[in-house]
């Protein structure tokens, strides 16, 4: 393999749009399709077009926003936050560290300190200026402008930080970042160095890190300056670290905001690189660009290159910008998936080149058909190229259904079998990675993210991915049959646990979601058509009855309604289609009935779990800050146990009220005692799921098991939720108004209530004015309350049911408010009591936040909100914190065991 590098100066200035091919008028678009890939070499004597590039970008953007810069910005902000947290809460550690460093540096010779200080003071200004002059000589003024902007912003941030530390920061942070100045004991040193942070921001923004000599010189100067400042007592270790972090963070924030100069190599740079590795190119035609996604955007730009002599070439060029595409998606996969995500979210260009070269050689050595790699090279410091022998053909996605024959399917599986015989995982067996040449031979491309010495998990995932890829084109039966024919039934059956969306490629998951939406739409249309036919038939029957002048029979009406329901159920059953993954499972199970079907656990952490953990940690932090100064021993000893018993009774009564609130919107007969048991079971369910999700799912399931049709069960729960939301808002406004008038003789509400109403109004206006938010809210509300209006018409015909439902909601809120009030009275006295209206406002606000929080049961969010709310309305912190803990203990944690027993009992009785 030939491997050489293009001298950086050959790629210098490639971001200048005036030198880019394709920017002029009349530029030809490159050939595409099989004719282009199969073109013959140009006339060897045609040297006049040796730098001709067809189909290159018309005009590359002068600047690009790199995800890697954003990631470094976020890391820098996090590092600053961690440093300040350590300085704030680990005062003893910071003091000991400063003493140790002062003691160690105090032994340095005086002459060395003076020489280091003088040299660093001069060099710290001269080195950046010298680098700027060198860049200006090479006409790279944009980088210098970026560096100056970053330095100015860093200086502003240092001034703001100095002001914050001096005026508002906790004393522990002040002690960690400052110390008495050696020249004036009454003055303090600067928390952040006003000149050091801008220099660091400048050197980072101009890209000195990519030039080793300049980088080494500048870091030596910075270390000497920091050493001299530290020894002479003009700074602290934490101040130096904070200065470096601020400069580094501001630099990457500036680069991401204004964009980095685009150093992507153009086609002419590619031609120069090919000559450096011994080829004599004539033309380079850029292949048609496909839509870049987070999964495919890092595959590089591809060129079809003709030579003066010999076969044409396929060349792939990868630069840093393309490589950074999809970084956050890959990082998320690495975080959440077990053992089969990409090993590095952002590998270096050298690592990417070596990985793809290794996979190309390994695939051919295994006997699989893969593009033959014949040369690699660097194109300057920011790009690499890989040169392959030309392979003409079309991708599987571009073939028509008639062209995908059984022989083609078997050939595809044979290539996969060759890879798996040598433990090579392809990792992306989708339609555009399978190439079919003119003779019908299958060639596997896109080996970049593959893996050698792969484990069984990755190999089985390759099989499941290809089953789905082929199934999307030829159906589940043919896909499974061709796989069994080549791999054998056992190998195919072993992949069933991997047959789940999370194990498939991103493009495949998107296709499956689109097909699912289309199936759901067809099912809805079928049900609506059946409903229209049933209504038309019933109206005709009603017309015949009226013409016969006969009174309608109630039994006949009920029979017609039951027949209509059966017709809707039959129409839904007939229209229901199984998804592709289910069809593949059934096809495999018909061959191997004993095959494992339980999906493997592939997720290390789910998004909901991560969000719940973060929200719970934040809530726990705020709660613990309220508890640190409370002495619980005397508080519990003086607790009034009579009020504790009252709180227990109010908590138990809430389950009866919840059952009333649900049954009031269910016209069908449902056992009341069993409904109460279901609400008790809900106290167990809401611990393992968010409150707004777990309760809805459990009640819907309970009503279905009680004989209520699925659609009506969902509508009943939706109606209950809708009325509950309305009652909640009305009570919050009412009690808030009463709270505002308690301490004033007039009936005008408090400023807090007015501010709250204005905030809600602003949020509503924002949601209605932003199309994305408006569509999101409307879709969620429509899906939650679909069918509620017809269900409410049924309930309105039974006033007793409606009174039961609304009364249950009011009673449920009253039970919780009285439970919280009893918890407050259990730890307080008459001098610390607050009004019921204030307690109600605090509870309603906390309950709303708990329902919106992603944590199970609103853990963390509810406790923090209730505690802060009670303190805000005048309750002492020493009473508010234990009262909230008692309230949550009675309403959330103690009912878990009875809820688990009720859940198991109802499950055994087939009621859940």
């Amino acid at each position: 393999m030939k491997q050489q590098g293009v001298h950086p100066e050959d790629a210098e200035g490639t971001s200048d749009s005036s030198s880019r091919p394709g920017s002029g008028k009349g530029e030809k678009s490159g050939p595409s399709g099989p004719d282009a890939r199969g073109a013959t070499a140009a006339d060897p004597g045609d040297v006049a077009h040796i730098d001709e590039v067809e189909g290159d970008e018309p005009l590359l953007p002068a600047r690009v926003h790199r995800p890697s810069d954003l990631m470094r910005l976020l890391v820098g902000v996090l590092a600053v936050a961690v440093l300040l947290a350590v300085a704030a809460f680990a005062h003893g550690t910071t003091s000991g560290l400063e003493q140790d460093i002062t003691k160690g540096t105090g032994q340095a010779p005086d002459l060395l300190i003076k020489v280091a200080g003088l040299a660093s003071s001069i060099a710290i200004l001269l080195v950046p200026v010298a680098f700027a002059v060198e860049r200006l000589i090479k006409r790279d003024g944009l980088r210098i402008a970026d560096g100056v902007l970053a330095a100015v912003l860093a200086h502003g941030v240092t001034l703001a930080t100095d002001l914050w530390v001096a005026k508002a920061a906790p004393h522990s942070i002040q002690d960690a970042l400052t110390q008495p100045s050696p020249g004036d004991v009454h003055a303090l040193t600067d928390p952040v160095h006003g000149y050091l942070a801008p220099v660091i921001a400048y050197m980072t923004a101009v890209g000195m890190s990519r030039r080793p000599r300049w980088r080494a010189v500048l870091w030596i100067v910075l270390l000497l300056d920091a050493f001299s400042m530290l020894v002479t007592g003009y700074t602290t270790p934490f101040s130096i670290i904070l200065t470096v972090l601020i400069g580094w963070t501001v630099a990457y924030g500036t680069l991401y905001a204004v964009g980095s100069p685009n150093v992507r190599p153009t086609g002419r740079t590619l031609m120069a690189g090919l000559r450096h590795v011994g080829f004599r190119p004539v033309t380079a035609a850029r292949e048609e660009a496909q839509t870049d996604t987070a999964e495919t955007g890092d595959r590089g730009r591809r060129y079809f290159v003709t030579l003066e002599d010999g076969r044409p070439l396929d060349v792939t060029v990868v630069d840093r910008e393309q490589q950074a595409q999809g970084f956050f998606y890959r990082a998320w996969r690495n975080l959440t998936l077990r053992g089969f995500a990409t090993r590095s979210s952002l590998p270096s260009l050298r690592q990417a080149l070596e990985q793809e070269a290794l996979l190309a050689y390994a695939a051919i050595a295994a006997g699989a058909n893969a593009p033959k790699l014949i040369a690699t090279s660097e194109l300057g410091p920011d790009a690499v190229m890989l040169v392959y022998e030309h392979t003409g053909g079309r991708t599987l996605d571009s073939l028509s259904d008639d062209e995908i024959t059984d022989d083609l399917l078997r050939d595809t599986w044979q290539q996969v079998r060759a890879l798996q015989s040598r433990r090579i995982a392809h990792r992306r067996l989708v339609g555009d990675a399978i190439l079919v040449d003119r003779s019908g031979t299958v060639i596997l491309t896109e080996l970049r993210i593959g893996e050698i010495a792969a484990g069984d998990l990755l190999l089985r995932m390759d099989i499941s991915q290809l089953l789905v890829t082929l199934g999307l084109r030829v159906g589940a039966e043919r896909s499974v049959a061709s796989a069994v024919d080549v791999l054998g039934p056992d190998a195919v059956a072993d992949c069933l646990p991997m047959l789940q969306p999370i194990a498939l490629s991103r493009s495949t998951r998107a296709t499956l979601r689109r097909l699912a939406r289309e199936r759901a739409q067809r099912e809805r249309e079928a049900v609506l058509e059946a409903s229209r036919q049933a209504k038309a038939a019933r109206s005709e029957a009603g017309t015949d009855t009226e013409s016969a002048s006969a009174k309608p029979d109630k039994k006949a009406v009920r029979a017609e309604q039951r027949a209509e329901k059966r017709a809707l159920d039959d129409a839904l059953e007939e229209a229901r289609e199984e998804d592709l993954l289910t069809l593949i499972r059934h096809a495999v199970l018909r061959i191997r009935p004993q095959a494992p079907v339980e999906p493997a656990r592939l997720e290390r952490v789910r998004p909901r779990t991560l969000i719940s953990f973060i929200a719970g940690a934040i809530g726990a932090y705020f709660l613990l800050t309220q508890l640190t100064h409370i002495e619980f021993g005397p508080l519990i000893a003086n607790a009034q146990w009579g009020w504790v018993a009252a709180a227990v009774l109010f908590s138990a009564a809430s389950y009866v009220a919840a059952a009333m609130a649900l049954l009031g919107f269910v016209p069908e007969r449902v056992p009341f005692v069993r409904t109460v048991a279901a609400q008790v079971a809900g106290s167990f369910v809401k611990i393992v799921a968010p409150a707004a999700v777990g309760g809805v799912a459990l009640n819907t399931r309970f009503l279905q098991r009680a004989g209520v049709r699925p659609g009506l069960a969902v509508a009943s729960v939706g109606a209950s939720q809708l009325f509950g939301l309305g009652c909640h808002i009305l009570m919050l406004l009412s009690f808030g108004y009463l709270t505002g008038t308690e301490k004033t003789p007039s009936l005008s509400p408090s400023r807090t209530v007015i501010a709250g109403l204005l905030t809600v109004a602003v949020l509503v206006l924002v949601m209605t004015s932003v199309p994305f938010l408006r569509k999101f809210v409307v879709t969620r509300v429509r899906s939650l309350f679909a069918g509620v209006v017809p269900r409410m018409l049924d309930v309105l015909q039974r006033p007793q049911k409606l009174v039961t439902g609304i009364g249950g909601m009011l009673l449920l809120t009253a039970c919780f408010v009285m439970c919280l009030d009893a918890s407050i009275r259990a730890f307080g006295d008459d001098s610390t009591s607050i009004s019921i209206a204030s307690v109600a406002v605090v509870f309603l606000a906390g309950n709303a936040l708990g329902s919106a929080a992603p944590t199970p049961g609103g853990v963390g969010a509810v406790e923090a909100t209730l505690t802060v709310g009670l303190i805000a309305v005048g309750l002492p912190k020493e009473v508010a914190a234990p009262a909230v803990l008692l309230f949550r203990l009675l309403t959330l944690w103690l009912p878990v065991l009875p809820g688990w027993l009720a859940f198991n009992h109802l499950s055994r009785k087939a009621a859940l």
Side-chain angles (χ1 to χ4, degrees):
M1 177 180 67
K2 303 176 184 179
Q3 182 172 350
Q4 301 179 24
V6 180
H7 194 275
E9 298 301 326
D10 290 332
E12 200 70 61
T14 55
S15 61
D16 185 3
S17 61
S18 63
S19 64
R20 293 185 190 126
S23 60
K25 297 180 180 180
E27 184 72 45
K28 295 190 298 180
S29 60
S32 60
D35 294 336
R37 300 185 67 93
T40 59
D43 185 359
D46 190 6
V47 292
H49 298 285
I50 195 167
D51 280 340
E52 179 182 352
V53 180
E54 301 177 359
D56 200 8
E57 295 88 350
L59 182 63
L60 296 180
R63 290 180 172 269
V64 292
H65 301 278
R66 294 174 175 168
S68 57
D69 292 338
L70 177 59
M71 189 63 189
R72 292 186 179 101
L73 168 64
L74 298 177
V75 171
V77 172
L78 179 62
V80 170
V82 171
L83 179 69
L84 294 178
V86 172
F89 297 105
H91 181 65
T93 302
T94 58
S95 301
L97 179 62
E98 290 179 7
Q99 293 174 3
D100 294 340
I101 294 177
T102 303
K103 182 179 179 181
T105 56
Q107 301 176 0
D110 225 15
L111 180 61
L112 175 63
I113 295 174
K114 292 181 179 179
V115 171
L118 179 62
S120 61
S121 299
I122 298 174
I124 204 169
L125 298 177
L126 289 181
V127 173
V129 172
F131 182 79
V133 172
E134 189 259 351
R135 288 289 91 195
L136 290 174
I137 292 174
K138 293 189 177 182
R139 298 182 180 181
D140 197 8
L142 288 177
R143 290 185 185 272
I144 304 304
D146 294 341
V148 172
L149 177 60
V152 171
L153 294 177
H155 184 65
V157 173
T158 57
L159 292 179
T161 305
D162 288 345
L163 182 63
W164 173 74
V165 172
K167 301 295 184 181
H171 292 292
S172 56
I173 293 181
Q174 292 181 358
D175 294 339
L177 298 178
T178 61
Q179 63 182 14
S181 176
D184 185 1
V185 294
H186 300 291
L188 296 177
T189 59
D190 293 333
V192 183
H193 298 290
Y195 68 90
L196 194 59
V199 170
I200 295 174
Y202 170 86
M203 63 169 280
T204 305
V206 298
M208 292 182 70
S209 60
R210 290 195 289 269
R211 286 167 172 79
R213 294 180 182 177
W214 286 102
R215 178 182 60 196
V217 170
L218 188 56
W219 274 115
I220 291 174
V221 171
L222 292 176
L223 289 176
L224 284 176
D225 184 75
F227 171 76
S228 61
M229 294 286 290
L230 193 62
V231 171
T232 53
Y234 283 98
T235 188
T236 66
F238 277 82
S239 175
I240 293 176
I241 299 174
L242 181 61
T243 300
V244 174
L245 289 177
I246 287 179
W248 190 73
T249 304
V250 171
Y252 284 112
T254 304
L255 289 178
Y256 186 76
V258 303
S260 302
N262 193 352
V263 294
R264 172 183 287 187
T266 62
R268 293 186 178 180
T269 308
L270 168 65
M271 304 290 272
L274 288 172
R275 288 194 292 271
H276 271 81
V277 293
F279 296 104
R280 291 185 292 175
V282 176
T283 60
R286 172 77 187 276
E287 291 187 2
E288 289 185 358
Q290 297 179 351
T291 303
D292 290 340
T293 65
E295 186 180 36
T296 64
D298 63 339
R299 286 187 287 166
R301 294 175 296 158
R302 293 160 179 183
Y303 293 86
F304 171 74
V305 178
T306 58
L307 304 177
E308 292 184 12
D309 55 355
R311 299 181 58 187
L313 305 174
D314 292 328
V315 182
T316 300
V317 177
V318 181
D319 55 57
R320 295 188 185 276
E321 180 196 350
Q322 288 174 314
Q323 193 186 23
Q325 291 187 16
F327 167 78
F328 295 106
Y329 172 74
R330 294 192 297 271
W332 176 251
R333 298 273 289 185
N334 281 338
L335 175 66
T336 57
L337 301 184
R338 295 175 181 266
F340 63 87
T342 53
R343 287 172 292 182
S344 176
S345 299
L346 190 60
S348 65
L349 285 172
R350 168 67 63 176
Q351 290 173 332
L353 184 147
E354 292 174 349
Q355 172 79 1
E356 184 167 354
L358 177 62
L359 264 296
Y361 290 134
I364 294 177
N369 296 329
K372 184 178 179 181
L373 182 67
I374 57 177
T376 61
S377 176
E378 294 180 349
L379 298 179
D382 298 300
V384 295
M385 72 173 180
L386 299 101
V387 183
Y388 294 92
E389 286 187 353
H390 174 62
T391 54
R394 291 183 294 165
T395 63
L396 183 70
D397 287 341
S398 63
L399 297 178
S400 64
D401 294 340
D402 296 337
E403 294 177 291
I404 305 178
T405 63
D406 292 339
D407 291 337
L408 180 62
L409 297 178
R410 283 192 294 270
D411 192 8
T412 304
W413 284 111
Q414 286 169 359
Q415 307 310 314
V416 174
R417 183 180 62 180
L419 292 180
Q420 301 214 342
S421 66
R422 302 294 177 88
R423 313 294 297 181
I424 300 174
H426 187 283
R427 305 291 304 277
R428 197 177 171 276
L429 288 169
V430 294
D432 60 356
I434 301 172
L435 194 69
V436 182
D437 65 10
R438 292 180 181 81
S439 64
T441 303
V442 174
I443 302 172
L444 298 182
T445 63
E446 305 299 341
L447 290 163
R448 174 172 301 171
I449 64 172
E451 191 165 323
I452 62 172
D456 291 337
L457 186 68
L458 290 177
L459 299 180
R460 292 156 63 193
M461 285 179 57
D462 269 358
I463 297 176
S464 62
Q465 172 66 60
L466 189 55
L467 280 173
V468 177
T469 298
L470 298 179
L472 289 171
R473 296 301 312 273
V474 301
E477 293 289 343
R478 287 183 63 190
S479 177
V480 172
S482 60
V484 171
D485 189 25
V486 176
L487 303 179
D490 293 334
V492 178
D494 288 341
C495 79
L496 285 188
M498 305 295 110
L499 202 63
Q500 48 184 305
I502 192 64
L504 304 176
S505 69
R506 197 176 194 183
S507 58
T508 304
R509 296 199 303 271
T511 302
L512 292 178
R513 286 194 295 268
R514 176 178 57 80
L515 294 177
R517 290 193 296 268
E518 293 174 358
R519 286 197 308 273
Q521 181 63 28
R522 289 194 294 269
E523 291 176 3
R524 285 194 294 269
E525 292 175 355
V527 172
L528 291 175
E529 180 62 26
S531 176
R532 284 193 293 267
Q533 293 178 358
K535 289 180 180 179
R538 189 167 60 179
S539 64
E540 292 178 0
T543 303
D544 295 339
T545 304
E546 291 178 1
S547 61
S549 300
K551 294 183 179 180
D553 187 4
K554 292 184 178 181
K555 293 183 178 180
V557 172
R558 292 197 186 98
E560 290 178 359
Q561 292 176 348
R562 287 194 296 270
E564 182 180 355
K565 292 178 181 179
R566 283 196 300 271
L568 294 178
D569 292 338
D570 293 340
L572 181 61
E573 187 65 28
E574 292 177 1
R576 183 173 288 116
E577 305 175 23
E578 292 183 331
D579 62 282
L580 178 62
L581 300 185
T582 302
L583 293 174
I584 293 176
R585 290 191 191 95
H586 292 169
V588 175
L589 290 175
R590 282 194 289 270
I591 300 172
R592 278 288 184 270
Q594 71 277 15
V597 294
E598 186 68 22
R601 176 67 186 277
L602 301 178
E603 289 180 292
R604 180 184 293 116
V605 56
R606 297 179 179 177
R608 180 182 298 173
T609 304
L610 185 62
I611 295 174
S612 300
F613 175 78
I614 295 174
I618 294 174
Y621 169 77
F622 284 108
L623 182 62
L624 290 175
T625 55
Q626 302 295 329
L627 301 178
T628 51
H629 303 293
I630 299 176
E631 297 182 0
F632 283 94
L635 194 65
I636 296 176
N638 298 326
Q640 303 182 39
W641 295 100
W643 284 112
V644 174
V648 173
L649 293 178
F650 286 124
S651 176
S654 65
Y655 296 102
V656 178
M660 295 172 56
L662 176 63
L663 294 181
F665 299 93
V666 183
E668 293 82 2
R669 291 182 59 85
V670 179
F672 182 77
V673 176
R674 183 166 288 186
T675 307
V676 175
Q679 306 314 301
V680 176
S683 62
F684 165 70
V685 173
K686 68 182 179 181
I687 287 296
V688 297
V693 177
V696 172
L698 183 136
N699 286 328
T700 303
R701 179 69 173 174
F702 170 73
L703 293 179
Q704 292 178 9
R705 289 291 190 176
V708 181
R709 292 181 59 245
L712 299 179
V714 173
S716 295
V717 176
S720 176
Q721 294 285 317
L722 181 60
F723 265 80
L725 177 63
C727 291
H728 194 102
I729 294 175
L730 290 176
M731 286 188 290
L732 182 60
L733 295 177
S734 301
F735 284 114
Y737 185 86
L738 293 176
T739 303
T741 59
E742 283 179 348
K743 299 181 181 180
T744 58
S746 65
L747 294 180
S748 60
S750 65
R751 293 183 178 180
T752 304
V753 175
I754 295 176
L757 293 176
L758 291 176
T759 302
V760 173
V762 170
L763 291 176
V764 171
L765 288 175
V766 170
M767 285 190 298
T768 54
S769 60
V770 179
F772 170 75
L773 293 176
R774 182 172 64 248
K775 182 179 179 181
F776 176 80
V777 173
V778 170
T779 303
R780 289 301 179 92
V781 172
R782 184 180 299 168
S783 62
L784 181 61
F785 300 117
V788 168
V789 175
R791 193 61 166 168
M792 288 308 307
L793 295 177
D794 294 338
V795 174
L796 289 175
Q797 296 177 4
R798 297 175 174 83
Q800 184 179 358
K801 282 282 188 180
L802 188 61
V803 170
T804 302
I806 297 178
M809 291 176 184
L810 297 176
L811 180 61
L812 179 62
T813 302
C815 288
F816 282 125
V817 171
M818 296 305 297
C819 180
L820 180 57
D821 183 70
S823 300
I824 294 172
R825 295 178 184 275
F827 296 101
D829 51 28
D830 294 338
S831 62
T832 59
S833 62
I834 57 177
S835 65
I836 290 292
S838 298
V839 176
V841 169
V842 172
F843 164 74
L844 291 169
N847 187 52
L849 182 59
S851 299
T855 57
V859 174
V862 174
E863 288 83 356
T865 305
L866 292 181
T867 304
V868 174
L870 291 177
I871 295 174
V873 297
L875 195 66
K877 178 172 60 177
E878 293 76 12
V879 178
V884 170
L885 290 181
L886 176 61
F887 173 74
R888 293 292 281 172
L889 183 68
L890 297 178
T891 58
L892 180 66
W893 297 110
L894 287 183
V896 170
L897 180 58
W900 178 73
L901 296 175
F903 186 86
N904 287 329
H905 172 73
L906 294 176
S907 298
R908 288 195 301 269
K909 296 293 185 180
L912 279 180

